[in-house]
Amino acid sequence: MTVTGTDIVELDRIAVHEALRVVGLAAEDDWGRDTPCAGWDLRRLVAHMTAQHLGFAAAARGAGGEAAHWREPADMGEPARVHRVAAAAVLAAFAEPGATQREFMLAELGAGFPGRQAMSFHFVDYVVHAWDVAATLGVGLELPDDVLGAALAVARRVPAAPERRGPGFAFAPALEVPDGAGPLEEALRLLGREPGRWPVRG
């Protein structure tokens, strides 16, 4: 599957809105919960998600090489609100005419990427992070099959070499995918998540 053109903008929008939905479910006593991201509680995870939104929004407008745009907010007293503002910023930047044709400089990777490819990085990140939040809260993820299929297509292209995975990198080492796994489970396991450890609570 190739994720191109305006399709990636729409796919990303759907993933970001699902992340907004699940973050919005968090109650005050949920922010200290452990998450599938080792060492991060929910507040820290949402701070990271917020920083990534702001960084990608800057990258879409030609300023992604500036490390300041990728920093986590100092004030995370209202995580859902801060995250919501950042999500609106990245959605607006990606929706600008010609955004998919621009080069995005991604400071954390130290390189520039074509707009469509950079947006695909953001897209798969937000499918996974939406799941991270949902898993933390014990709720299900609500994404259409075509979105999950597209996320899996991107996940299969993420480099799996050991020197590109683990602490300090975006994803943990890939895990074995069992026979019969659905697209979400396969994508998560390819990107180092163990969905079986985080059951949906009734």
Side-chain angles (χ1 to χ4, degrees), residues 5-23:
T6 55
D7 291 344
I8 187 57
V9 176
E10 176 63 8
L11 289 165
D12 184 78
R13 185 191 68 78
I14 293 168
V16 168
H17 275 282
E18 178 61 0
L20 283 167
R21 182 187 74 83
V22 293
V23 169

Side-chain angles (χ1 to χ4, degrees), residues 129-142:
H129 283 327
W131 178 84
D132 288 332
V133 176
T136 300
L137 299 175
V139 300
L141 200 62
E142 298 177 6

Side-chain angles (χ1 to χ4, degrees), residues 158-165 173-174 190:
V158 174
E163 63 272 16
R164 302 288 296 276
R165 298 292 189 98
L190 288 174

Side-chain angles (χ1 to χ4, degrees), residues 59 64 185:
E185 181 181 1

Side-chain angles (χ1 to χ4, degrees), residues 18-42:
E18 178 61 0
L20 283 167
R21 182 187 74 83
V22 293
V23 169
L25 297 176
E28 188 57 38
D29 59 356
D30 289 324
W31 297 111
R33 288 181 180 272
D34 290 336
T35 73
C37 300
W40 285 2
D41 64 13
L42 185 57

Side-chain angles (χ1 to χ4, degrees), residues 1-94:
M1 172 181 283
T2 302
V3 182
T4 59
T6 55
D7 291 344
I8 187 57
V9 176
E10 176 63 8
L11 289 165
D12 184 78
R13 185 191 68 78
I14 293 168
V16 168
H17 275 282
E18 178 61 0
L20 283 167
R21 182 187 74 83
V22 293
V23 169
L25 297 176
E28 188 57 38
D29 59 356
D30 289 324
W31 297 111
R33 288 181 180 272
D34 290 336
T35 73
C37 300
W40 285 2
D41 64 13
L42 185 57
R43 191 184 304 272
R44 176 66 197 284
L45 170 59
V46 174
H48 166 77
M49 292 165 66
T50 299
Q52 291 293 300
H53 282 327
L54 296 173
F56 272 89
R61 292 172 172 149
E66 300 172 26
H69 292 299
W70 300 87
R71 291 183 188 138
E72 294 176 7
D75 183 359
M76 287 299 292
E78 298 180 73
R81 181 189 63 78
V82 174
H83 173 253
R84 186 166 57 249
V85 171
V90 78
L91 291 176
F94 281 13

